[in-house]
Amino acid sequence: MNSVGQIAQSSPWWITVALPIVTFVLGFFASRFTLSKKERKDFEQANYANTVKLVEQDEAAYKDYTSALLVYCEATDVTFDMFTSIATKGDVYFYQARLTCDAIMSGKVDIQMRDNSLLPRIGDIAHKTLLQHYEALQAIAAKKGYPYNGELRRQDYVSIFAVAERFGLTAT
Amino acid sequence: MADISHSLMIRFGTSRQPTAAETNQWIQLTEALIRQGVSSKEAGQRAAAQVLPGTGTRVFASQADTIEMLLSKAKEK
């Protein structure tokens, strides 16, 4: 183009050599460190699909856990198996919450769904449900004479508390 | 600031999601009440009753609420 020709004529020889090289290098690094629009759309779509899956798994684990609790509550004669079921289904529910928190920390979730659905639940689990779950199981075990030595250990749920802290979640 | 309209709907059980204008009104009214010395929770509740559409007409039982209820029932058995 004209302007390049003018630059070529009026500048020292090394500028005409350096200019295309520098612009190539700058362009190269710019493309390495930024996302094209399509790349950004793909990224958002993957995050959305990811989040939908996490919500589905969370709902399934929640359903199982509450079913186990309901069975225990509605039984005329409770059994040790029913008690164990509550403990293990609770574990699955919290495990699922941990997976969700890991995904949140690595930025692999849809932001809207994270703020509307995921974070409120994580806040509740961190501040209420975890404690209530273990307290209830300990109380029931003591009452019925079941062998049980589960307790809330924070190191088992690091990612849940990390998310609660990072997003300033409080009990609702 | 993140959009809290959805959270307000869940927290105060409004009949529909508040508009941006209603949300801003709620924020200002809550802050004004807190400055007058009302507790933050009470201030939020009062502001919602005044400003948000259909406060308390719906109940969104959170997962945690249901679990809490079931756990305390189980403890009584």
Side-chain angles (χ1 to χ4, degrees), chain A residues 8 11-18:
Chain A
S11 318
W13 67 271
W14 54 269
I15 288 212
T16 52
V17 172

Side-chain angles (χ1 to χ4, degrees), chain A residues 61-71 89, chain B residues 63 66-67 70:
Chain A
Y62 167 71
K63 223 166 148 199
D64 273 353
Y65 179 37
T66 47
S67 291
L69 280 167
L70 257 169
V71 163
K89 291 292 157 62
Chain B
Q63 286 187 349
T66 308
I67 294 173
L70 286 171

